[in-house]
Amino acid sequence: MKVYQKLFRAGSNRTVNQLTTKPARTFAGGGKIEKMPKDATEFDICIVGGLNGTALTKFLQNEGKGLKMAIITDRSKFIIPELYFLSSHDAVKSLKLESGSVASQVNAASRVDANLRATKIDPEANKISISNGKEYTYKALVYAPGFDHTVDNLPGLREFEDAGDQTNVFSHIPDKIDRLDRNYYHGFQQYGGDYIVYDPARPYKDEGSNFYAFYYEYILKQDSLHGRAARNARVQYWTPNKSIFDFDYANEVVMDDCHKRGIDVMLGWDLKQVKYNEYGEKIGVFENVDSGETIEKDFMGMSINPPQKPQKEAVESGLTDKNGLIDVNPYTLQHRKYENVFAFGSAANIPTTRSAHATMAQSPVVKHNVQRYLKGQSLNAIYDGYTYMPLLLGQTTATSFQHYYDFEPHPKNHMSPHHGVFGRLYFKYLLRNLVGTSSKYSGFKQNYGPPYWHFNPRYDEVEHNEYLQRKGLDKKATGQLA
């Protein structure tokens, strides 16, 4: 009897092992880790980036394939962008706002250079110089640097920033948790005059989820009902872009709602400076992008998404196009010139609406393709341009938009009506979804990454890829020989 039990257990274990995969790090950190030598300078993969680069390193480690990797990042912890605005008014607790530390996500088997920057990238020699004076060589480089996004990108904004929230001018930059205290009263002190919401010229980080004019109009409406706001108080949306969204469906829905809710939409106006005039009034200096006309607009309050610029080292490396974006194939996310360079996130010239979920959808494509490249195999993971654009309509209602490349609507695009009981239910779903997804993506718990987390996606060879077939594209579209 004992013999049969042993045989049965052995057969069951083989079946389980064939059907499931387990991360390299499991309970209590898994087995013994072979630590990366401190003097190591030659790597299979160098990853340069922040939150997304750290997450990708974690996912690659869990493959358990013994890749020599280095992660270079300018911080040891990150603010999760999609939770920032919701955390600012306590819809999401501030404890959820920060990612897991780099050290908690990436184990000692990889080189971790936190609180450092890549000061120079030489793709011809496959070398990276770091701000601590060290130089690394790589077989493959994954670059996800994001944009340079600071208050110093807009003249005059630093003075308002340093003066505190009594200026009623708020910079929305997901850079540090202290900003929650600095920006807590955004939208709540609009008792008269114009409250301006400003977004910069595209491309910019999270351009698909940063439209907050409805949120502020909702607050203003509540204040008006309670007699706390004058009748002349209005919300205005200013941007140098010619539309709120590039996605026509979403843009039409939002423009129509702006008209119904009395939000002034000022398209084609670039904010050049914020200042006080001689009478102590707050002034925004705007320039018309077509005529070059300059006007000075007074305001009572302003929520500003400051202009975003390409990272200096990216431009100087020769990896970018004429617009300062990293020049990659939109399907494989492989650099068009340097085949051992891959990039994803906001700073890559990927023709889709930038959002946190778009970057998450790109992550498994890069993870798979960079490993295929190192093995000398063709790249078969294809990014279809998927993006998810959550839209806050107030403090308790929300909806969303989703699309592929060429702004082809996703089957779940605008799946929830954006008013009434469905809008409120979707708002609750949105909170759970954003918190849960960000926890899996950038928390310390080990997994394989999106889209399935507990196991890797599988990819057909390019010739059989359904998305490319639907679009009438062949292997040449991926930058590879047919």
Side-chain angles (χ1 to χ4, degrees), residues 59-99:
F59 303 147
L60 281 166
Q61 277 192 337
N62 287 332
E63 299 285 317
K65 299 192 178 162
L67 291 169
K68 290 183 64 178
M69 295 187 291
I71 170 69
I72 304 158
T73 177
D74 61 352
R75 296 179 192 176
S76 58
K77 258 187 174 181
F78 310 98
I79 298 299
I80 300 170
E82 61 266 35
L83 299 183
Y84 157 74
F85 197 83
L86 292 164
S87 294
S88 68
H89 283 163
D90 293 328
V92 172
K93 296 301 181 183
S94 60
L95 287 174
K96 303 286 187 181
L97 183 58
E98 285 189 305
S99 71

Side-chain angles (χ1 to χ4, degrees), residues 12-31 58-66 107 367 445-449 452-456 458:
S12 299
N13 289 337
R14 281 197 297 270
T15 303
V16 169
N17 289 332
Q18 289 170 356
L19 295 176
T20 62
T21 56
K22 291 176 285 188
R25 290 171 66 187
T26 53
F27 176 74
K58 173 178 70 175
F59 303 147
L60 281 166
Q61 277 192 337
N62 287 332
E63 299 285 317
K65 299 192 178 162
N107 66 35
K367 184 183 79 166
K445 291 185 178 179
Q446 302 303 305
N447 58 68
Y448 289 106
Y452 304 121
W453 308 105
H454 299 299
F455 59 92
N456 283 320
R458 296 181 179 180

